[in-house]
Structures are given as C-alpha cells and as structure tokens.
Amino acid sequence: MTDTILVLTEDTLAASDVQHIVDLHADETLAYRVLVPADTDRPLVPWIIDALSMGELKEAWERATGHEPSRTQARQTAAEQVEGSVAEFVAAGREATGEITEDDPLPALRGAVAGGGVREVVVVTYPHMVEDTFHTDWASRARDELHVPVLHLYSGTSELG
C-alpha cells in the first residue's frame, strides 16, 4: 500500500504549491489526495478582515451585504478546484485523487486518517489573520485532533503558516 499525503486546500493549487509539496518527499513514491471544502462557512467578521487585508474590497463588500454563492455554486467551484489541483499533481508526475468535503473539512480528515495509510496532512490556505493568530485555522485544529504530522503552507508562497 502506498502512503498518502492528504492535501487540504481552499483554492486550486498552483504549480508552485504542488512543487513545494512534492519536494517534501521527492525521492519517494507517494499518493496525494486533495480535499476541498464546498464552502468554508467562515465567520463573517474574520472573513471580512482577511479580505480587506488582502485588498479584496469587492469581495468584502459582497460578503458583508450577504451575497454568498448558492450551495450548488459552491460545490461547482469546489469541483473545479479539485480538478485543477489534481491536474497539477499529475503534471508534476504524481498520482493524485481528489474530493469535495463539507464546510468543515475536519471530519473528512479524521475519516481519512482513521482509514489508514495517511502519512501526513498538508494544509494550503491564504493567510487568515484572525484564525491563524488564535490557532482556530484548519491546520491548528488538525494538529490538535489528528495523530499525524500537519504542515501549513500559504498558497502561492513557500511560507509556513
């Protein structure tokens, strides 16, 4: 059985993100399993703070005024993000699968780890000032609950979260 690296992401992985992940175990044959939540269902105030800190004024305004994607739109977006992320792993010469999770991805992570064969979890997100500061982000929660190593990378960079 091939060891698996679980990759939890909130957006389509960039080629550089995949390269950072693959480089962690460059000399080994591993499988990669990408998980993308259909909608992160983040609390309003932290979401707006993050959007404003990244200069996403339109997104902050839309969220503040209650404009959120429908469940169908959120699942479609997540499916596209899974497909694009898996394609990046395949382009890097790695075996990968992917799936959509519910809003809270921790139950899916727990289930995958309990199923066996998971060597570690890599969480790839954009910086989230409030969650990262107070350790309520996905990576911190996964470290508290899972009995495997958890690495947090910021999307599009080599920075650790």
Side-chain angles (χ1 to χ4, degrees):
M1 178 179 197
T2 303
D3 281 348
T4 300
I5 306 297
L6 281 180
V7 181
L8 173 61
T9 183
E10 63 186 346
D11 202 349
T12 306
L13 295 172
S16 61
D17 297 326
V18 169
Q19 195 59 55
H20 291 306
I21 295 166
V22 167
D23 286 348
L24 294 170
H25 307 285
D27 57 344
E28 298 179 68
T29 301
L30 299 168
Y32 297 86
R33 184 172 163 196
V34 178
L35 304 176
V36 178
D39 183 9
T40 58
D41 195 31
R42 295 179 57 218
L44 181 62
V45 172
W47 196 97
I48 291 173
I49 291 170
D50 288 341
L52 291 173
S53 72
M54 296 180 75
E56 298 171 345
L57 303 178
K58 179 182 177 196
E59 291 82 354
W61 175 254
E62 287 178 356
R63 179 70 191 266
T65 57
H67 295 88
E68 294 188 51
S70 70
R71 188 74 180 144
T72 302
Q73 291 169 323
R75 290 194 69 76
Q76 178 61 37
T77 298
E80 292 167 4
Q81 292 167 336
V82 166
E83 183 180 322
S85 297
V86 168
E88 288 295 339
F89 276 106
V90 171
R94 304 298 179 170
E95 177 186 331
T97 59
E99 65 192 72
I100 299 168
T101 73
E102 294 304 317
D103 290 343
D104 182 0
L106 267 292
L109 289 176
R110 276 193 301 273
V113 170
V118 173
R119 180 185 287 187
E120 67 187 54
V121 175
V122 178
V123 178
V124 182
T125 67
Y126 298 105
H128 298 295
M129 291 176 31
V130 175
E131 287 97 336
D132 292 349
T133 299
F134 293 103
H135 303 288
T136 59
D137 59 294
W138 292 339
S140 295
R141 292 176 53 217
R143 284 185 195 109
D144 290 343
E145 295 184 34
L146 306 176
H147 300 289
V148 296
V150 176
L151 177 66
H152 186 190
L153 299 172
Y154 287 136
S155 186
T157 73
S158 59
E159 292 181 41
L160 298 176

